[in-house]
């Protein structure tokens, strides 16, 4: 059974009685609007286009490994689990627990939010678990369900994606063009007038 414990600057991750590693939390300086690292909010030039968000809250930084075993992305524990949850839904548990601890201990203003809503995937984009179960899943939804259980904030599937659209190979400008009309509200009654935490495993451009 996974368990996480909040510590200064990190979240310690246990499986049973064994500590498996630590999620390094994002540290100052970083933008308090879009969580861009190594800049102050006033000097950040990135978040001008992230309309629709009051603020981006990040647990920590994600480092792609690019298959290079000498890179920080290969050894960083949080990055490994983010990559892991794209293949094995079980990694949603420690990630969701870690985010729940951030709400309880670091981003306490989020305790007053009404809903946790995952960023949706189109049907053909759902991940297939590599554990032989044949399960298809949206990793953001799996993380959101754990967070809802631990925080008591209601979970809602309130959005849907209208078509398949891969973002990985697109530039920032291309992402912003591709995203127009890509998402729609499928449950207006659930979200109208509510304060929503929108959950995804990685925040790149904000598109």
């Amino acid at each position: 059974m996974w368990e996480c414990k909040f510590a200064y600057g990190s979240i310690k991750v246990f499986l049973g009685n064994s500590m498996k590693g630590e999620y390094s939390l994002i540290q100052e300086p970083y933008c308090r609007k879009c969580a861009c690292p190594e800049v102050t909010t006033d000097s950040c030039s990135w978040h001008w286009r992230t309309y629709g968000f009051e603020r981006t809250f990040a647990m920590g930084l994600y480092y792609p490994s690019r298959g290079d075993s000498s890179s920080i992305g290969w050894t960083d524990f949080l990055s490994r689990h983010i990559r892991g949850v794209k293949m094995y839904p079980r990694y949603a548990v420690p990630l969701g627990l870690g985010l729940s601890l951030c709400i309880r201990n670091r981003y306490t203003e989020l305790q007053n939010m009404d809903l946790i809503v995952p960023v949706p995937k189109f049907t053909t984009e759902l991940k297939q678990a590599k554990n032989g179960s044949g399960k298809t899943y949206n990793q953001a939804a799996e993380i959101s369900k754990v967070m809802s259980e631990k925080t008591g904030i209601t979970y809602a599937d309130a959005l849907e994606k209208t078509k398949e659209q891969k973002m990985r190979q697109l530039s920032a400008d291309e992402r912003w063009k591709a995203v127009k009309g890509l998402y729609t509200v499928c449950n207006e009654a659930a979200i109208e007038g509510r304060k929503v935490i929108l959950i995804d495993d990685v925040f790149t451009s904000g598109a």
Side-chain angles (χ1 to χ4, degrees):
M1 181 178 293
W2 292 100
E3 183 180 358
C4 291
K5 295 182 180 179
F6 190 87
Y8 179 78
S10 70
I11 290 174
K12 299 181 185 300
V13 181
F14 297 81
L15 185 59
N17 294 323
S18 174
M19 192 177 93
K20 294 299 183 180
E22 295 181 83
Y23 295 153
S24 296
L25 302 179
I26 189 170
Q27 298 296 323
E28 299 281 4
Y30 65 91
C31 175
R32 294 305 182 97
K33 173 69 174 177
C34 69
C36 183
E38 305 301 328
V39 296
T40 64
T41 306
D42 291 339
S43 66
C44 180
S45 60
W46 186 254
H47 62 247
W48 61 271
R49 72 193 313 177
T50 56
Y51 63 89
F53 302 108
E54 287 189 14
R55 179 179 170 187
T56 299
F57 295 84
M59 177 159 60
L61 302 182
Y62 171 66
Y63 302 96
S65 72
R66 310 300 186 205
D68 180 2
S69 60
S70 65
S71 70
I72 187 173
W74 189 273
T75 58
D76 178 73
F77 193 67
L78 175 57
S79 298
R80 286 167 54 193
H81 274 199
I82 290 172
R83 288 194 298 276
V85 78
K86 298 177 187 297
M87 297 180 288
Y88 302 99
R90 66 176 182 268
Y91 286 109
V93 177
L95 291 170
L97 293 175
L99 286 165
S100 300
L101 286 174
C102 286
I103 290 176
R104 186 182 308 158
N105 296 280
R106 194 173 224 207
Y107 304 131
T108 55
E109 60 267 46
L110 293 180
Q111 295 182 58
N112 296 319
M113 302 297 275
D114 300 313
L115 295 175
I116 291 176
V117 175
V119 173
K121 287 188 176 295
F122 194 65
T123 304
T124 56
E125 297 174 335
L126 294 173
K127 303 295 183 182
Q128 184 163 19
K130 303 295 185 183
N131 57 11
S133 67
K135 175 180 178 177
T136 57
Y137 66 100
N138 172 7
Q139 66 267 29
E142 298 295 310
I143 293 169
S144 297
K145 291 171 185 176
V146 175
M147 292 179 66
S148 176
E149 180 181 347
K150 292 300 177 181
T151 63
I153 302 172
T154 301
Y155 170 88
D157 269 321
L159 302 175
E160 64 182 9
K161 197 170 182 180
T162 59
K163 63 180 181 179
E164 181 176 331
Q165 176 62 61
K166 304 295 186 183
M167 294 289 190
R168 186 172 183 180
Q169 303 300 327
L170 302 184
S171 68
D173 286 340
E174 288 170 336
R175 289 175 185 229
W176 281 94
K177 291 177 182 178
V179 81
K180 291 182 178 179
L182 190 58
Y183 299 98
T184 186
V185 175
C186 61
N187 189 347
E188 291 188 16
I191 67 170
E192 187 174 4
R194 304 292 184 91
K195 295 176 291 184
V196 174
I197 304 175
L198 186 64
I199 296 293
D200 210 351
D201 54 343
V202 175
F203 181 97
T204 306
S205 67

